[in-house]
Amino acid sequence: MTSRPASLLAGWAIALVAAGDAVRYAVGYLGWGILCGVTLVAAIVVLVRARPRLATTPVALAMLLALALLSTIWAVAPLATLLGAALQLAMALAALLLAQLEPERLLTMLHRVLQGILVVSIAFELVVALAAGGRVYPLVPMPGVESYGPDSPAAFAWSRGLLLEGGRIQGIVGNANLLAMLALLALVLAACLAASGRLRAWPVWIVVPLVVLGLTRSATVLVALAVVAVVAVVLVAWRRLTPRAFRRSLAAAGVGLVVVGACVLVARDALLGLLGRDGDLTGRTDIWGLVVEQWLRSPVVGTGWVGYWPPFAEPYDDLAVLDGVVYLQAHSVVLDVLMQLGVVGLLVWIALQATTMVGAVRWLRAAPAGDVALRAAPVLVLVALLAQGLAESRPLIELGFVLLAAFAWRLPARSRTPREVVA
């Protein structure tokens, strides 16, 4: 896929799935749905012209999509599940569109879009802090909310206007944790592109995500950053050390992780306090308990795929309500997949993660000397998404799922014959 319109469409698709919340806050779910529909039609036109071989679809990905659609049969909310499965299929098509790009081009485009979102987010927060001097709520109320007022919960705010007060910022995506995750992905890509000599003015593009990470102070993403850093060191050792030295280094790193993990557990409350969190991980443990109860009602095949919980369907509309705020996710990829698709779905999800990671590692292993840093990017991105999934369900939808599926298509775990490779 080399035409400029097709490449621009791919870039727009990345922006739409990376900053979908910003679009929904600005034009509402109806406007967002229209934009997604138009984008999907355009993507289908491009794909028809590109003629990708659907027979090369990763088995685990095909099984996950099929299971999501089939779960409509036994779902507790059939219409919501049908909608969730349709959205997941649409995201898979977006991933197939991105998979038409050469991996290097995809990573470069992804970096540009993410850095753009970060820059716009900082500008947005600055304008809100200077002009509004307080909270700014979505222009179009979210489903279930009639209107916003001075007494509306802070969790509903698009921005709390805290940039100049030293508080956490939320950016155009309206959520500090989501913005921090975009910053982490941008940092990973900037570092890999810079190390491979493919990024001009690289100090600027390293500093921008670091600044955003500092302004968001997301505990989840800071943990993900630490995990990514450890994996990056392991990858460097893998490429540079002899097999024997690498095994020793890996064992030492494993021991170090255990020691660090033990220290974190012992000092958990103090560390969370520094980040403005409480000991129950800001209500996550309560939500996890409620989700487990729901999963136990149908442990094998789950309650039906919905992706992010729909606020208009039972039991998701009031499954997790804390301090008057309805939470629409399990805050854990594992628990969300378990609840929605049961043990069967979780096994398929694990298979998709594993085979995609194998494909990314194979692509890295085959890298010429000058491309090693760049080819490490998919591995590190996948690790970051896995770490995020420990405390957030976001990797199940939008950017997280689209990247997972795109890498699964473009970097297969098994070798393909020349005919099977999408040009």
Side-chain angles (χ1 to χ4, degrees), residues 370-393:
D371 287 342
V372 173
L374 177 68
R375 292 199 176 197
V379 174
L380 298 178
V381 166
L382 290 171
V383 168
L385 292 172
L386 280 169
Q388 181 194 23
L390 297 175
E392 297 285 344
S393 297

PDB file of all heavy atoms in Angstrom, residues 370-393:
ATOM      1  N   GLY A 370      21.951  -2.914  11.403  1.00  0.00           N
ATOM      2  CA  GLY A 370      21.489  -1.535  11.540  1.00  0.00           C
ATOM      3  C   GLY A 370      20.021  -1.391  11.885  1.00  0.00           C
ATOM      4  O   GLY A 370      19.560  -0.279  12.176  1.00  0.00           O
ATOM      5  N   ASP A 371      19.270  -2.488  11.829  1.00  0.00           N
ATOM      6  CA  ASP A 371      17.827  -2.419  12.060  1.00  0.00           C
ATOM      7  C   ASP A 371      17.395  -3.045  13.377  1.00  0.00           C
ATOM      8  O   ASP A 371      16.202  -3.158  13.645  1.00  0.00           O
ATOM      9  CB  ASP A 371      17.082  -3.128  10.917  1.00  0.00           C
ATOM     10  CG  ASP A 371      17.110  -2.322   9.634  1.00  0.00           C
ATOM     11  OD1 ASP A 371      17.388  -1.106   9.709  1.00  0.00           O
ATOM     12  OD2 ASP A 371      16.866  -2.898   8.565  1.00  0.00           O
ATOM     13  N   VAL A 372      18.339  -3.470  14.197  1.00  0.00           N
ATOM     14  CA  VAL A 372      17.981  -4.176  15.423  1.00  0.00           C
ATOM     15  C   VAL A 372      17.101  -3.318  16.329  1.00  0.00           C
ATOM     16  O   VAL A 372      16.072  -3.772  16.844  1.00  0.00           O
ATOM     17  CB  VAL A 372      19.250  -4.620  16.179  1.00  0.00           C
ATOM     18  CG1 VAL A 372      18.879  -5.195  17.543  1.00  0.00           C
ATOM     19  CG2 VAL A 372      20.006  -5.646  15.367  1.00  0.00           C
ATOM     20  N   ALA A 373      17.498  -2.065  16.544  1.00  0.00           N
ATOM     21  CA  ALA A 373      16.741  -1.192  17.455  1.00  0.00           C
ATOM     22  C   ALA A 373      15.313  -0.987  16.959  1.00  0.00           C
ATOM     23  O   ALA A 373      14.353  -1.070  17.734  1.00  0.00           O
ATOM     24  CB  ALA A 373      17.448   0.148  17.596  1.00  0.00           C
ATOM     25  N   LEU A 374      15.169  -0.740  15.658  1.00  0.00           N
ATOM     26  CA  LEU A 374      13.834  -0.530  15.110  1.00  0.00           C
ATOM     27  C   LEU A 374      12.988  -1.783  15.239  1.00  0.00           C
ATOM     28  O   LEU A 374      11.809  -1.727  15.621  1.00  0.00           O
ATOM     29  CB  LEU A 374      13.931  -0.118  13.640  1.00  0.00           C
ATOM     30  CG  LEU A 374      12.582   0.069  12.932  1.00  0.00           C
ATOM     31  CD1 LEU A 374      11.853   1.278  13.495  1.00  0.00           C
ATOM     32  CD2 LEU A 374      12.766   0.208  11.434  1.00  0.00           C
ATOM     33  N   ARG A 375      13.584  -2.935  14.957  1.00  0.00           N
ATOM     34  CA  ARG A 375      12.815  -4.173  14.984  1.00  0.00           C
ATOM     35  C   ARG A 375      12.486  -4.638  16.399  1.00  0.00           C
ATOM     36  O   ARG A 375      11.667  -5.551  16.566  1.00  0.00           O
ATOM     37  CB  ARG A 375      13.576  -5.268  14.232  1.00  0.00           C
ATOM     38  CG  ARG A 375      13.651  -5.007  12.732  1.00  0.00           C
ATOM     39  CD  ARG A 375      13.975  -6.260  11.978  1.00  0.00           C
ATOM     40  NE  ARG A 375      13.959  -6.045  10.536  1.00  0.00           N
ATOM     41  CZ  ARG A 375      13.887  -7.020   9.640  1.00  0.00           C
ATOM     42  NH1 ARG A 375      13.846  -8.289  10.054  1.00  0.00           N
ATOM     43  NH2 ARG A 375      13.869  -6.759   8.350  1.00  0.00           N
ATOM     44  N   ALA A 376      13.090  -4.017  17.385  1.00  0.00           N
ATOM     45  CA  ALA A 376      12.724  -4.319  18.771  1.00  0.00           C
ATOM     46  C   ALA A 376      11.422  -3.632  19.165  1.00  0.00           C
ATOM     47  O   ALA A 376      10.786  -4.016  20.147  1.00  0.00           O
ATOM     48  CB  ALA A 376      13.839  -3.898  19.719  1.00  0.00           C
ATOM     49  N   ALA A 377      11.004  -2.624  18.389  1.00  0.00           N
ATOM     50  CA  ALA A 377       9.836  -1.828  18.751  1.00  0.00           C
ATOM     51  C   ALA A 377       8.560  -2.657  18.918  1.00  0.00           C
ATOM     52  O   ALA A 377       7.857  -2.498  19.920  1.00  0.00           O
ATOM     53  CB  ALA A 377       9.623  -0.713  17.727  1.00  0.00           C
ATOM     54  N   PRO A 378       8.203  -3.560  17.976  1.00  0.00           N
ATOM     55  CA  PRO A 378       6.974  -4.340  18.184  1.00  0.00           C
ATOM     56  C   PRO A 378       6.998  -5.176  19.458  1.00  0.00           C
ATOM     57  O   PRO A 378       5.979  -5.270  20.162  1.00  0.00           O
ATOM     58  CB  PRO A 378       6.913  -5.229  16.937  1.00  0.00           C
ATOM     59  CG  PRO A 378       7.657  -4.472  15.893  1.00  0.00           C
ATOM     60  CD  PRO A 378       8.772  -3.803  16.641  1.00  0.00           C
ATOM     61  N   VAL A 379       8.140  -5.755  19.776  1.00  0.00           N
ATOM     62  CA  VAL A 379       8.237  -6.544  21.009  1.00  0.00           C
ATOM     63  C   VAL A 379       7.962  -5.663  22.218  1.00  0.00           C
ATOM     64  O   VAL A 379       7.181  -6.020  23.107  1.00  0.00           O
ATOM     65  CB  VAL A 379       9.631  -7.195  21.132  1.00  0.00           C
ATOM     66  CG1 VAL A 379       9.777  -7.896  22.482  1.00  0.00           C
ATOM     67  CG2 VAL A 379       9.865  -8.178  19.996  1.00  0.00           C
ATOM     68  N   LEU A 380       8.585  -4.491  22.259  1.00  0.00           N
ATOM     69  CA  LEU A 380       8.427  -3.594  23.401  1.00  0.00           C
ATOM     70  C   LEU A 380       7.010  -3.016  23.473  1.00  0.00           C
ATOM     71  O   LEU A 380       6.465  -2.839  24.566  1.00  0.00           O
ATOM     72  CB  LEU A 380       9.465  -2.471  23.326  1.00  0.00           C
ATOM     73  CG  LEU A 380      10.931  -2.929  23.381  1.00  0.00           C
ATOM     74  CD1 LEU A 380      11.871  -1.740  23.256  1.00  0.00           C
ATOM     75  CD2 LEU A 380      11.204  -3.697  24.664  1.00  0.00           C
ATOM     76  N   VAL A 381       6.409  -2.739  22.323  1.00  0.00           N
ATOM     77  CA  VAL A 381       5.024  -2.255  22.312  1.00  0.00           C
ATOM     78  C   VAL A 381       4.080  -3.324  22.863  1.00  0.00           C
ATOM     79  O   VAL A 381       3.194  -3.035  23.678  1.00  0.00           O
ATOM     80  CB  VAL A 381       4.609  -1.842  20.885  1.00  0.00           C
ATOM     81  CG1 VAL A 381       3.086  -1.657  20.791  1.00  0.00           C
ATOM     82  CG2 VAL A 381       5.303  -0.549  20.480  1.00  0.00           C
ATOM     83  N   LEU A 382       4.274  -4.559  22.432  1.00  0.00           N
ATOM     84  CA  LEU A 382       3.430  -5.652  22.923  1.00  0.00           C
ATOM     85  C   LEU A 382       3.619  -5.855  24.424  1.00  0.00           C
ATOM     86  O   LEU A 382       2.653  -6.109  25.155  1.00  0.00           O
ATOM     87  CB  LEU A 382       3.757  -6.943  22.163  1.00  0.00           C
ATOM     88  CG  LEU A 382       3.330  -6.980  20.692  1.00  0.00           C
ATOM     89  CD1 LEU A 382       3.909  -8.210  20.002  1.00  0.00           C
ATOM     90  CD2 LEU A 382       1.816  -6.965  20.565  1.00  0.00           C
ATOM     91  N   VAL A 383       4.864  -5.749  24.898  1.00  0.00           N
ATOM     92  CA  VAL A 383       5.125  -5.877  26.338  1.00  0.00           C
ATOM     93  C   VAL A 383       4.432  -4.759  27.102  1.00  0.00           C
ATOM     94  O   VAL A 383       3.839  -4.984  28.168  1.00  0.00           O
ATOM     95  CB  VAL A 383       6.646  -5.860  26.603  1.00  0.00           C
ATOM     96  CG1 VAL A 383       6.937  -5.686  28.090  1.00  0.00           C
ATOM     97  CG2 VAL A 383       7.291  -7.139  26.093  1.00  0.00           C
ATOM     98  N   ALA A 384       4.487  -3.542  26.570  1.00  0.00           N
ATOM     99  CA  ALA A 384       3.826  -2.408  27.225  1.00  0.00           C
ATOM    100  C   ALA A 384       2.318  -2.633  27.326  1.00  0.00           C
ATOM    101  O   ALA A 384       1.706  -2.362  28.365  1.00  0.00           O
ATOM    102  CB  ALA A 384       4.116  -1.121  26.455  1.00  0.00           C
ATOM    103  N   LEU A 385       1.707  -3.139  26.267  1.00  0.00           N
ATOM    104  CA  LEU A 385       0.268  -3.408  26.273  1.00  0.00           C
ATOM    105  C   LEU A 385      -0.086  -4.522  27.251  1.00  0.00           C
ATOM    106  O   LEU A 385      -1.115  -4.462  27.941  1.00  0.00           O
ATOM    107  CB  LEU A 385      -0.202  -3.762  24.867  1.00  0.00           C
ATOM    108  CG  LEU A 385      -0.152  -2.623  23.839  1.00  0.00           C
ATOM    109  CD1 LEU A 385      -0.456  -3.147  22.440  1.00  0.00           C
ATOM    110  CD2 LEU A 385      -1.118  -1.508  24.203  1.00  0.00           C
ATOM    111  N   LEU A 386       0.766  -5.538  27.323  1.00  0.00           N
ATOM    112  CA  LEU A 386       0.544  -6.609  28.293  1.00  0.00           C
ATOM    113  C   LEU A 386       0.598  -6.076  29.718  1.00  0.00           C
ATOM    114  O   LEU A 386      -0.240  -6.426  30.561  1.00  0.00           O
ATOM    115  CB  LEU A 386       1.589  -7.707  28.112  1.00  0.00           C
ATOM    116  CG  LEU A 386       1.354  -8.707  26.976  1.00  0.00           C
ATOM    117  CD1 LEU A 386       2.599  -9.556  26.771  1.00  0.00           C
ATOM    118  CD2 LEU A 386       0.145  -9.590  27.274  1.00  0.00           C
ATOM    119  N   ALA A 387       1.578  -5.226  29.999  1.00  0.00           N
ATOM    120  CA  ALA A 387       1.706  -4.653  31.336  1.00  0.00           C
ATOM    121  C   ALA A 387       0.519  -3.748  31.644  1.00  0.00           C
ATOM    122  O   ALA A 387      -0.009  -3.759  32.771  1.00  0.00           O
ATOM    123  CB  ALA A 387       3.020  -3.878  31.448  1.00  0.00           C
ATOM    124  N   GLN A 388       0.076  -2.965  30.672  1.00  0.00           N
ATOM    125  CA  GLN A 388      -1.094  -2.116  30.883  1.00  0.00           C
ATOM    126  C   GLN A 388      -2.321  -2.948  31.222  1.00  0.00           C
ATOM    127  O   GLN A 388      -3.149  -2.571  32.059  1.00  0.00           O
ATOM    128  CB  GLN A 388      -1.381  -1.274  29.634  1.00  0.00           C
ATOM    129  CG  GLN A 388      -2.582  -0.341  29.784  1.00  0.00           C
ATOM    130  CD  GLN A 388      -3.060   0.229  28.457  1.00  0.00           C
ATOM    131  OE1 GLN A 388      -2.818  -0.347  27.395  1.00  0.00           O
ATOM    132  NE2 GLN A 388      -3.740   1.363  28.501  1.00  0.00           N
ATOM    133  N   GLY A 389      -2.427  -4.116  30.577  1.00  0.00           N
ATOM    134  CA  GLY A 389      -3.589  -4.973  30.782  1.00  0.00           C
ATOM    135  C   GLY A 389      -3.700  -5.553  32.176  1.00  0.00           C
ATOM    136  O   GLY A 389      -4.747  -6.097  32.534  1.00  0.00           O
ATOM    137  N   LEU A 390      -2.647  -5.435  32.990  1.00  0.00           N
ATOM    138  CA  LEU A 390      -2.727  -5.923  34.360  1.00  0.00           C
ATOM    139  C   LEU A 390      -3.714  -5.112  35.192  1.00  0.00           C
ATOM    140  O   LEU A 390      -4.322  -5.638  36.125  1.00  0.00           O
ATOM    141  CB  LEU A 390      -1.337  -5.882  35.021  1.00  0.00           C
ATOM    142  CG  LEU A 390      -0.266  -6.777  34.402  1.00  0.00           C
ATOM    143  CD1 LEU A 390       1.065  -6.542  35.087  1.00  0.00           C
ATOM    144  CD2 LEU A 390      -0.677  -8.248  34.494  1.00  0.00           C
ATOM    145  N   ALA A 391      -3.862  -3.833  34.876  1.00  0.00           N
ATOM    146  CA  ALA A 391      -4.736  -2.969  35.674  1.00  0.00           C
ATOM    147  C   ALA A 391      -5.710  -2.154  34.831  1.00  0.00           C
ATOM    148  O   ALA A 391      -6.449  -1.328  35.359  1.00  0.00           O
ATOM    149  CB  ALA A 391      -3.902  -2.027  36.543  1.00  0.00           C
ATOM    150  N   GLU A 392      -5.721  -2.356  33.521  1.00  0.00           N
ATOM    151  CA  GLU A 392      -6.634  -1.666  32.621  1.00  0.00           C
ATOM    152  C   GLU A 392      -7.126  -2.654  31.568  1.00  0.00           C
ATOM    153  O   GLU A 392      -6.383  -3.540  31.153  1.00  0.00           O
ATOM    154  CB  GLU A 392      -5.945  -0.485  31.922  1.00  0.00           C
ATOM    155  CG  GLU A 392      -5.466   0.618  32.842  1.00  0.00           C
ATOM    156  CD  GLU A 392      -6.594   1.485  33.366  1.00  0.00           C
ATOM    157  OE1 GLU A 392      -7.705   1.435  32.794  1.00  0.00           O
ATOM    158  OE2 GLU A 392      -6.362   2.215  34.351  1.00  0.00           O
ATOM    159  N   SER A 393      -8.368  -2.476  31.124  1.00  0.00           N
ATOM    160  CA  SER A 393      -8.919  -3.340  30.076  1.00  0.00           C
ATOM    161  C   SER A 393      -8.789  -2.725  28.687  1.00  0.00           C
ATOM    162  O   SER A 393      -9.239  -3.307  27.701  1.00  0.00           O
ATOM    163  CB  SER A 393     -10.395  -3.638  30.360  1.00  0.00           C
ATOM    164  OG  SER A 393     -10.544  -4.341  31.564  1.00  0.00           O
TER     165      SER A 393
END
